[in-house]
Amino acid sequence: MKILNIDEKKLTAKLLERRLSNIGYHVTTVKNGKEAVEQLKVRKPNLVILDVNMSNFGGIDVLKFIKESGLDTKVMVISGEKEQALVSDLFEYGIDEYIKKPATLTEILIRINKLVGMSSLSDEFYQQNEEVVRELSIGVVIPCYNEASRLLSKSFVHFVSRNVGYYLCFVNDGSTDNTLEVLEEMKQGREDYIGVYNCDTNGGKAEAVRQGMLHLINDNDLALDYLGFLDADLSTDLNDFDDLVKTINLNNYKIVSGSRISRIGANISRESARQVISMSINYIIRKILGMNFKDTQCGAKILDREAVKTVFNEKFLTRWLFDVEIFLRMKKRYGMRAKEMIYEQPLKRWVHAEGSKLSMRDSLKIGTQLMKIAAHYK
């Protein structure tokens, strides 16, 4: 049985191709409608899988070609399309099955097998395909400096292997321990959704995040919808980060920033001395920004592609306070409208992790660095 899989999102396409091949299907994957038409002429597949929301020569054009050419092939659409009227139109175009993202990989494979079924699926199959295929592709930069002893590799692997559409880019920021070896080991066999970007020298968190974000946004194969960054110690966990993604996708924000605000029902644990310093620093930051954000320094943020290009194009002035510069660069680009484009979302959980790279001595230098930032962006 031959399947043509049309998907411009590499993260989804690679996984589906691999799983279908393991079952026994002959799968060809292409990333746009023009390539799909050429393959349809040559291969005459038993099943076409596509997303109607492709750019350029899109899914609807492929459906029209199939209908007009009289090809005897089943068609399954897997899409995050929310307009019910368009879904109804798809069946008018002759599709045989529609699956709305997010959907489990098990559901997708079962329906494929039902349409062009080759064989019954084993109990082992159901246990191995619990991943959720998402509507979006999300890239996450995790800066790492001497994290070998406390990197929670299992937590990262567990999350990303069950949430199809996430790509984790670990940036080794010139570590002097064996962080790079730990990252390469975590990546091995998972190259489709875990990457390692190595910086030979330590440039600080700001530059590590910037290099990672530029690396991801310039990777056209990944076709990422949103890009963000997260601390390696997982003081903000991945489920909370996923909530930030849901918020930016459902609204018109350009940046959604996590906030460590103590509130009922949230587990926010901060070292008392750091909390006092943080409150003082935040007061100064609010004055510099002219915006009433309660927590600019949380290490969990998600941005749309336009915001990434706006704020990460140039190097930051400081190694640690680049979050403030992100907000100021947005303000410089959009004026006071930036306040409406940045949303501060309270986290459900944030726990201070031992081994922070920002020392108390560094914290006491922050006032001078803030003055430098204020003068530069004025």
Side-chain angles (χ1 to χ4, degrees), residues 143 173 203-210 229 231 297 299 319-320 322:
D173 185 22
K205 182 180 178 181
E207 184 60 10
V209 170
R210 193 180 81 90
F229 55 92
D231 289 337
Q297 300 309 108
R319 293 165 64 97
W320 295 102
F322 70 101

Side-chain angles (χ1 to χ4, degrees), residues 240 259 261-268 345-349:
D240 245 1
S259 178
I261 302 170
S262 297
R263 59 192 177 92
I264 296 174
N267 177 19
I268 308 296
Q345 179 161 309
L347 300 172
K348 296 174 185 173
R349 172 193 174 275

Side-chain angles (χ1 to χ4, degrees), residues 59-300:
I60 297 295
D61 298 298
V62 175
L63 293 177
K64 287 179 179 178
F65 174 82
I66 292 172
K67 191 170 186 177
E68 291 169 1
S69 61
L71 283 172
D72 182 22
T73 181
K74 301 285 187 181
V75 179
M76 171 184 284
V77 172
I78 305 175
S79 178
E81 179 56 52
K82 298 177 179 65
E83 295 293 332
Q84 190 58 44
L86 178 55
V87 175
S88 299
D89 289 343
L90 292 175
F91 283 96
E92 292 294 325
Y93 279 112
I95 73 169
D96 299 277
E97 184 67 270
Y98 178 85
I99 299 178
K100 187 178 185 309
K101 297 178 183 176
T104 65
L105 189 60
T106 296
E107 178 188 1
I108 293 170
L109 296 178
I110 286 174
R111 293 208 200 179
I112 290 172
N113 215 41
K114 185 178 179 182
L115 277 178
V116 291
M118 285 176 44
S119 60
S120 59
L121 302 174
S122 65
D123 292 338
E124 184 181 3
F125 163 84
Y126 292 102
Q127 295 170 3
Q128 292 178 347
N129 296 284
E130 297 176 349
E131 299 100 326
V132 176
V133 178
R134 295 173 174 272
E135 174 188 359
L136 306 169
S137 291
I138 305 108
V140 186
V141 172
I142 301 105
C144 302
Y145 176 66
N146 291 349
E147 298 284 355
S149 63
R150 67 172 190 165
L151 194 67
L152 301 174
S153 300
K154 289 184 179 178
S155 297
F156 285 113
V157 170
H158 182 271
F159 178 83
V160 77
S161 63
R162 284 163 175 74
N163 290 274
V164 181
Y166 267 90
Y167 184 88
L168 305 184
C169 176
F170 292 88
V171 179
N172 177 48
D173 185 22
S175 298
T176 56
D177 64 359
N178 65 327
T179 292
L180 183 58
E181 288 80 1
V182 171
L183 294 177
E184 290 291 351
E185 183 179 349
M186 178 169 41
K187 170 188 169 184
Q188 189 172 3
R190 307 178 182 95
E191 290 82 1
D192 289 343
Y193 46 87
I194 293 179
V196 176
Y197 186 88
N198 184 47
C199 300
D200 292 329
T201 58
N202 176 246
K205 182 180 178 181
E207 184 60 10
V209 170
R210 193 180 81 90
Q211 289 293 333
M213 296 293 270
L214 294 176
H215 172 68
L216 288 184
I217 202 167
N218 290 324
D219 190 332
N220 294 326
D221 286 341
L222 287 174
L224 298 169
D225 297 295
Y226 298 107
L227 296 88
F229 55 92
L230 186 67
D231 289 337
D233 59 19
L234 286 180
S235 49
T236 301
D237 68 21
L238 286 155
N239 291 319
D240 245 1
F241 187 88
D242 193 46
D243 286 341
L244 304 184
V245 173
K246 291 172 184 174
T247 298
I248 198 170
N249 185 46
L250 293 173
N251 298 277
N252 293 320
Y253 303 123
K254 291 194 168 297
I255 300 177
V256 175
S257 178
S259 178
R260 298 162 293 182
I261 302 170
S262 297
R263 59 192 177 92
I264 296 174
N267 177 19
I268 308 296
S269 174
R270 305 177 74 171
E271 192 180 79
S272 57
R274 289 181 183 273
Q275 187 169 6
V276 172
I277 294 173
S278 178
M279 290 173 64
S280 303
I281 291 169
N282 185 252
Y283 175 79
I284 300 171
I285 289 173
R286 290 202 305 271
K287 293 298 182 182
I288 292 172
L289 291 177
M291 302 178 184
N292 193 31
F293 292 112
K294 295 180 174 62
D295 182 13
T296 59
Q297 300 309 108
C298 178

Side-chain angles (χ1 to χ4, degrees), residues 289-355:
L289 291 177
M291 302 178 184
N292 193 31
F293 292 112
K294 295 180 174 62
D295 182 13
T296 59
Q297 300 309 108
C298 178
K301 290 178 175 62
I302 187 77
L303 303 85
D304 72 7
R305 295 181 64 88
E306 184 178 351
V308 170
K309 294 174 183 177
T310 297
V311 302
F312 288 103
N313 190 41
E314 298 179 0
K315 290 188 71 169
F316 295 103
L317 296 178
T318 64
R319 293 165 64 97
W320 295 102
L321 293 170
F322 70 101
D323 305 79
V324 179
E325 294 189 65
I326 286 174
F327 286 56
L328 284 169
R329 289 178 181 185
M330 287 292 290
K331 187 176 179 182
K332 181 178 179 181
R333 170 70 174 80
Y334 297 103
M336 291 310 294
R337 288 189 299 137
K339 290 196 294 186
E340 301 169 1
M341 298 175 177
I342 305 170
Y343 178 70
E344 192 174 20
Q345 179 161 309
L347 300 172
K348 296 174 185 173
R349 172 193 174 275
W350 190 91
V351 178
H352 171 73
E354 295 299 326

